[in-house]
Amino acid sequence: MMGSFSLVHWLILGVVLVLVLGGGRFSSMMGDVAKGIKQFKKGMAEDDDTPPNRIEAKRPDPVIDPAAERARDAER
């Protein structure tokens, strides 16, 4: 079959990758992937425990009518 890889193809590809990247770099890269997955799971678990926060609506500043202010000051 064209386009499909057998187990032998995957093994050869794996050996070539280890030779090109080096054993230490490959293992540290896989360790970083594992840490990322653990952090993702931890973050998802923390999100489930905390209730969602309400976004507080900011009150708009009151509109001041200058004519009304002058009339009120004149009455004083």
Side-chain angles (χ1 to χ4, degrees):
M1 288 186 208
M2 299 250 336
S4 66
F5 289 102
S6 67
L7 180 61
V8 175
H9 289 108
W10 287 112
L11 289 175
I12 292 172
L13 181 65
V15 169
V16 169
L17 285 175
V18 168
L19 290 174
V20 170
L21 296 176
R25 184 182 292 176
F26 186 74
S27 66
S28 68
M29 189 169 49
M30 294 309 293
D32 291 342
V33 170
K35 286 179 187 176
I37 291 171
K38 286 180 184 178
Q39 287 295 326
F40 176 75
K41 287 182 179 180
K42 182 179 176 183
M44 292 301 291
E46 288 176 357
D47 287 345
D48 292 342
D49 293 342
T50 58
N53 293 335
R54 265 186 38 202
I55 298 175
E56 302 269 341
K58 183 180 175 185
R59 291 184 180 164
D61 294 332
V63 178
I64 299 174
D65 184 17
E69 286 290 317
R70 275 188 248 123
R72 190 178 73 195
D73 290 339
E75 292 174 0
R76 290 187 188 172

